[in-house]
Amino acid sequence: MRRLTVPWRSPAATLRTWGADHLRVLGFTLRRMARQPVGSALTCAVVALSLGLPATFYTLLGNLQRAVGTPRIDAAVTVYLKPGTPQARARALAQTLRAWDEVDDIGLITADQALEDLRDQGILDDALEVLDANPLPHTLLITPTHTDRDALVRLEGRLRALPAVDAVRLEWKWLERLAAAMELARRAGLALTAALAIAALLVIGNTIRLDIENRREEVVVARLLGATDAFVRRPFLYAGLLYGLLGALGAWVMVGGVILWLKGPVSDLATSYGSAFELRFPGGSVLWTLVLLGASLGAGGAWMAVATQLQHNDPRKPRGVGSRRVP
Amino acid sequence: MIRFENVTKRYPTGQVGLDGVSVYVPRGAFLFLTGHSGAGKSTFLKLITLIERPSRGRVIFEGDDISRLPRRLVPYHRRRLGVVYQEHHLLYDRNVFENVALPLIIAGYGRRERERRVRAALDKVGLLGREQAMPITLSGGEQQRVGIARAVVHRPRMLLADEPTGNLDPQLSAEIMRLFEDFSRIGVTVLVASHDAALIAQMRRPVIRLDHGRLVRDELGN
């Protein structure tokens, strides 16, 4: 029967001691980081860059998606009426179609208007000269209510069945391409994020490893005085966590800075296209994601360092303790 | 208090630290552990602090076979000991108070209790009022006394000292020994490893003498 056991303490006392020790370690770690401001700042800066780059990328991508995704796509469906359809008929048809559920908005470009537009733009001037009659059809420009592929195909079928309709051109291919491009960008961003997250993990891990190396004596002494593994690890895990958190805040500031810097030119550009589009600052969810990611990368990197380094620091092999040669 | 039962320690290098040593140290004893360099003094201490485990035999501490103590209990065993090192093993980036408080922080004492005990320990070694001093600003003898304060602040049942006077002049050594005698008087078992023959002779205390890992003299009447 072994007499030595882990000393019993009430849960309340354990919790109190535990909480007090965590607070103590937090303060201790912060003071230590403040004592080496350059080194700490550099580590935080690397983490901030690693997290800030993908965060900026996603914020801009989100803005882009909003720019192309939410405003109506004008005339996603173009309907060409059969040549020779009277203009009154075309107007009547436009009225009918406007009542369809699938049709959000409709515009009519009569053959005469179309010809005039071409003349105004000075395109095909010579070709138009030699024609006696207007070769252009009346055109209906439809903004569909639903822009998903299936709805557009159904709408196309209904339109084609109309006797006056000559041809229907869908523009969902363009939408599909845009969606594919967005998906590509999203995945590239994911790969970038993964690569940079690993970089942050390694940088924090290496910083903590050096930290452990510099504090080897402290670790040995603490172990000799009866410190548990958890006690020895705690300050290093806290240091990693703090590097991650401060890095995340740095990344947040970086995203904000980039948006602020681009906001003016983007607004000018949007205005020139007649849009009220404005870059938006990242929302709270981006901050929380950054904080969570930073915290886990920091604690994870520190854990890697602690798990690999502190075994080697077992006081079984301390320097000095009894290994000294007395002359 | 502590009993070595036919303890042999062979290192992976083939070097023999201890060779079949059996010895019993009663509670409250004050004794010396001596022998030439490499005789096994350090191995003897390392087997008590569980820095090493024996290759053969058992080490019994207060009824427990600590040579087979699970790793997770090793920290709690070490908290029963106070160890004084020749090189002090102080942390030079912390002041005297923080150094002495370290065993109490590790054992989870509250702030008020820590302050009370640290002051008592510093008072005992004559360094009260130097709490805020950094160890590097202290003399060798003062640093050693900080080390002793740290070793006794948590009231260990056994005090181990590894060449505690190795770097000190005879007068300072005598002071340190007087401190150890005080602890012994209040019931702490004190084991001092030293090769200082003059000091040992002067102290008139029981001696465990090791030679090439073997016990050659044991004045405890085992």
Side-chain angles (χ1 to χ4, degrees):
Chain A
M1 184 61 190
R2 197 188 302 121
R3 295 185 203 180
L4 177 66
T5 53
V6 177
W8 188 88
R9 314 174 77 172
S10 72
T14 306
L15 195 68
R16 207 164 41 236
T17 310
W18 185 84
D21 196 53
H22 276 260
L23 270 181
R24 185 188 62 77
V25 171
L26 182 64
F28 177 80
T29 309
L30 277 171
R31 278 198 301 279
R32 180 175 287 275
M33 283 167 76
R35 235 181 292 166
Q36 300 156 338
V38 178
S40 308
L42 277 177
T43 302
C44 292
V46 173
V47 176
L49 271 177
S50 305
L51 295 178
L53 272 174
T56 306
F57 179 80
Y58 276 116
T59 306
L60 291 178
L61 190 66
N63 271 296
L64 187 63
Q65 236 152 8
R66 201 164 49 80
V68 300
T70 43
R72 290 192 197 143
I73 310 275
D74 287 335
V77 181
T78 312
V79 180
Y80 301 104
L81 300 185
K82 282 182 178 148
T85 307
Q87 191 164 323
R89 180 84 206 283
R91 284 192 198 288
L93 187 59
Q95 284 303 318
T96 314
L97 293 185
R98 191 181 293 280
W100 286 15
D101 280 348
E102 300 97 311
V103 175
D104 189 45
D105 196 14
I106 191 162
L108 171 67
I109 299 174
T110 61
D112 296 344
Q113 269 174 331
L115 190 64
E116 211 140 293
D117 285 351
L118 278 182
R119 285 224 177 90
D120 284 353
Q121 290 167 29
I123 311 168
L124 300 175
D125 269 353
D126 299 337
L128 293 172
E129 284 305 314
V130 300
L131 292 170
D132 315 335
N134 184 355
L136 298 172
H138 300 302
T139 309
L140 296 171
L141 300 176
I142 296 176
T143 305
T145 318
H146 306 289
T147 50
D148 59 293
R149 188 190 170 127
D150 290 349
L152 285 176
V153 169
R154 268 201 306 280
L155 179 60
E156 183 193 22
R158 265 191 95 178
L159 290 169
R160 254 188 229 292
L162 296 170
V165 169
D166 186 29
V168 179
R169 210 179 77 214
L170 288 186
E171 294 189 12
W172 53 261
K173 279 220 161 53
W174 178 79
L175 283 173
E176 266 190 346
R177 279 188 200 126
L178 183 70
M182 285 288 196
E183 178 64 15
L184 189 68
R186 207 182 59 80
R187 289 204 186 175
L190 213 58
L192 177 78
T193 309
L196 289 171
I198 290 170
L201 194 73
L202 294 178
V203 164
I204 292 176
N206 196 47
T207 304
I208 300 299
R209 193 182 60 79
L210 290 175
D211 206 16
I212 293 173
E213 204 62 36
N214 289 333
R215 291 162 69 183
R216 190 177 280 276
E217 179 74 3
E218 189 179 324
V219 169
V220 168
V221 168
R223 281 233 159 106
L224 288 171
L225 295 176
T228 55
D229 286 347
F231 183 93
V232 171
R233 286 172 176 165
R234 204 167 290 149
F236 299 112
L237 294 179
Y238 261 101
L241 191 69
L242 285 172
Y243 285 133
L245 284 176
L246 291 176
L249 290 180
W252 165 261
V253 171
M254 175 177 157
V255 177
V258 169
I259 299 291
L260 197 66
W261 194 55
L262 295 181
K263 209 171 163 50
V266 166
S267 284
D268 292 348
L269 193 65
T271 310
S272 78
Y273 277 96
S275 159
F277 176 76
E278 277 207 327
L279 275 186
R280 271 190 209 157
F281 283 101
S285 67
V286 176
L287 177 63
W288 290 122
T289 309
L290 279 173
V291 162
L292 255 162
L293 196 63
S296 11
L297 288 175
W303 186 263
M304 276 182 359
V306 161
T308 54
Q309 289 299 301
L310 286 185
Q311 279 167 353
H312 306 315
N313 271 337
D314 193 294
R316 277 163 207 276
K317 306 277 176 276
R319 292 166 306 164
V321 186
S323 59
R324 188 178 28 82
R325 286 278 167 272
V326 181
Chain B
M1 183 80 205
I2 193 157
R3 182 195 300 278
F4 278 55
E5 291 179 357
N6 200 21
V7 173
T8 295
K9 175 62 189 179
R10 199 172 280 113
Y11 288 98
T13 55
Q15 192 191 346
V16 176
L18 284 183
D19 187 2
V21 169
S22 293
V23 70
Y24 173 66
V25 177
R27 186 184 300 269
F30 183 139
L31 67 154
F32 283 94
L33 176 66
T34 189
H36 61 87
S37 160
K41 298 193 295 290
S42 298
T43 302
F44 195 96
L45 295 181
K46 283 179 184 172
L47 289 173
I48 299 175
T49 54
L50 289 187
I51 292 168
E52 297 289 353
R53 309 254 188 170
S55 315
R56 264 213 315 276
R58 306 199 299 166
V59 179
I60 312 291
F61 189 98
E62 294 202 327
D64 288 333
D65 178 4
I66 58 166
S67 49
R68 273 158 200 82
L69 200 67
R71 217 180 109 67
R72 71 187 169 83
L73 284 179
V74 168
Y76 301 98
H77 166 67
R78 289 189 180 139
R79 291 178 197 177
R80 303 191 286 192
L81 307 171
V83 188
V84 179
Y85 305 92
Q86 180 178 11
E87 316 80 347
H88 321 314
H89 273 302
L90 299 179
L91 300 179
Y92 289 94
D93 59 344
R94 301 175 199 207
N95 64 27
V96 167
F97 183 94
E98 289 163 327
N99 267 283
V100 176
L102 198 53
L104 302 177
I105 290 173
I106 286 170
Y109 285 87
R111 176 189 291 269
R112 195 167 300 174
E113 183 71 2
R114 287 206 299 263
E115 281 174 8
R116 201 177 62 72
R117 288 200 181 203
V118 169
R119 257 183 261 289
L122 285 175
D123 188 25
K124 180 71 209 152
V125 300
L127 286 174
L128 197 58
R130 305 298 301 273
E131 289 104 320
Q132 300 307 316
M134 296 306 277
I136 203 73
T137 65
L138 302 178
S139 70
E142 285 171 325
Q143 289 190 31
Q144 188 58 288
R145 269 145 56 200
V146 174
I148 292 170
R150 190 185 64 186
V152 299
V153 73
H154 57 301
R155 298 189 191 136
R157 281 168 255 187
M158 185 170 194
L159 186 62
L160 303 173
D162 189 7
E163 302 285 357
T165 60
N167 294 328
L168 303 180
D169 62 45
Q171 195 197 332
L172 284 173
S173 299
E175 265 178 45
I176 302 288
M177 286 304 141
R178 268 199 296 282
L179 274 175
F180 287 163
E181 282 184 318
D182 289 346
F183 294 124
S184 170
R185 222 166 282 138
I186 57 169
V188 179
T189 310
V190 181
L191 176 62
V192 180
S194 174
H195 68 284
D196 187 341
L199 182 79
I200 293 170
Q202 183 191 328
M203 291 295 292
R204 300 172 181 283
R205 290 284 179 174
V207 173
I208 296 171
R209 186 181 299 278
L210 297 170
D211 186 16
H212 291 99
R214 291 220 174 86
L215 187 67
V216 294
R217 184 157 154 228
D218 174 7
E219 296 171 349
L220 287 159
N222 295 289

